[in-house]
Amino acid sequence: MGTSTESIPPRPPTSLSPSRAADFMRCPLLYRLRVIDRLPEKPTQAATRGTVVHAVLERLFDAPAADRTAERARDLVPGEWERLLAARPELSVLFDAADPAALAAWLDSARALVDRWFTLEDPTRLEPAERELYVETVLESGLTLRGYVDRLDVAPATGDLRVVDYKTGKAPRPQYADEPMFQMSFYALVLWRLRGVVPRRLQLVYLGSGDVLTYDPSEADLLRTERKLLALWEAIRAATDSGDWRPRRTPLCGWCDHQAVCPEFGGTPPPYPLAAMAGAPPLVGENDPV
């Protein structure tokens, strides 16, 4: 049996993933509360639906190409929900047992996202080389990069790599498109360092809006991504040492579970768990105004 996060003593971060990099860029305090304090967050129907849909799209490729139909994919939805619920019983709070219609409607919304995927890609013509691929590499600087790639396609004739990521939300407005593409560049950098090949294409599939966004990176692009990650990691290390994790107000604050401990909303962060290690630095709430 695994060890619960509550029993693991707080420790400085040792690696970087796309989601945690995005957290720090969005709000350093959010990064601290998730990575160092590991404060619990409430499960949401939207995030859970995304997990179920990802599982369906992964499992569908277990079937022969001719059997990868929309009907088969829809039929996988309830089973993947039950599988997830068995692994994470805490998700049972998402639905009232006395209101089965709510769960039925939610399952239908997951099926609708699966149906939309069939309008964007044809799984009978795809043979992914990898699905839910865990990737990890250590840069020359010592920084460990890690993450999960939803799907990796390899062209039979050329060996070209296509990195595919499913998003169950809508495509972002142009002014917010940098973050998801940065995530894809992160994966491309890791694959380049692991395999010595720059991925030919990065592809974001937005099931919520029916958009497919692509980008063909160059080696120079990935070197820029590496420099950005190294600078980001230096900022994270500095914050870890000083205890200065300043909040940053953004339009996404309305969806944050941690407003009660955020100075931007009148809250006070918990005592910094690495204070002794950092020489008892001031708490975030006692820092200068942002």
Side-chain angles (χ1 to χ4, degrees), residues 48-49 51-53 55-56 59 74-92 94-95 97 100 102-104 106-107 110-111:
T48 304
R49 179 172 52 234
T51 301
V52 168
V53 170
V56 168
R59 191 168 297 276
R74 286 194 298 270
D75 289 344
L76 290 173
V77 169
E80 290 305 320
W81 159 241
E82 292 296 334
R83 186 191 301 266
L84 180 61
L85 184 61
R88 298 178 54 192
E90 70 274 13
L91 296 178
S92 62
L94 291 173
F95 302 101
L103 174 58
W106 179 82
L107 290 172
R111 293 186 186 98

Side-chain angles (χ1 to χ4, degrees), residues 11-52:
R11 57 181 183 269
T14 58
S15 62
L16 199 57
S17 68
S19 55
R20 298 293 79 84
D23 286 345
F24 187 83
M25 290 187 291
R26 184 181 304 162
C27 174
L29 179 59
L30 174 63
Y31 176 96
R32 178 205 137 172
L33 296 176
R34 283 180 167 170
V35 175
I36 297 176
D37 298 81
R38 293 192 293 277
L39 295 188
E41 297 181 346
K42 297 177 182 177
T44 67
Q45 290 188 9
T48 304
R49 179 172 52 234
T51 301
V52 168

Side-chain angles (χ1 to χ4, degrees), residues 6 15 48 56 59 80 83 87 97 110 133 149-150 168 177-178 188 197 202 206 232 241 256:
E6 289 80 2
S15 62
T48 304
V56 168
R59 191 168 297 276
E80 290 305 320
R83 186 191 301 266
L133 171 67
V149 174
D150 286 348
T168 49
D178 287 348
V197 177
L202 310 179
Y206 285 95
L232 189 65
D241 291 342
C256 183

Side-chain angles (χ1 to χ4, degrees), residues 62 78 91 126 204 232 238 260 263 277:
D62 290 340
L91 296 178
L126 296 170
L204 285 159
L232 189 65
M277 184 182 305

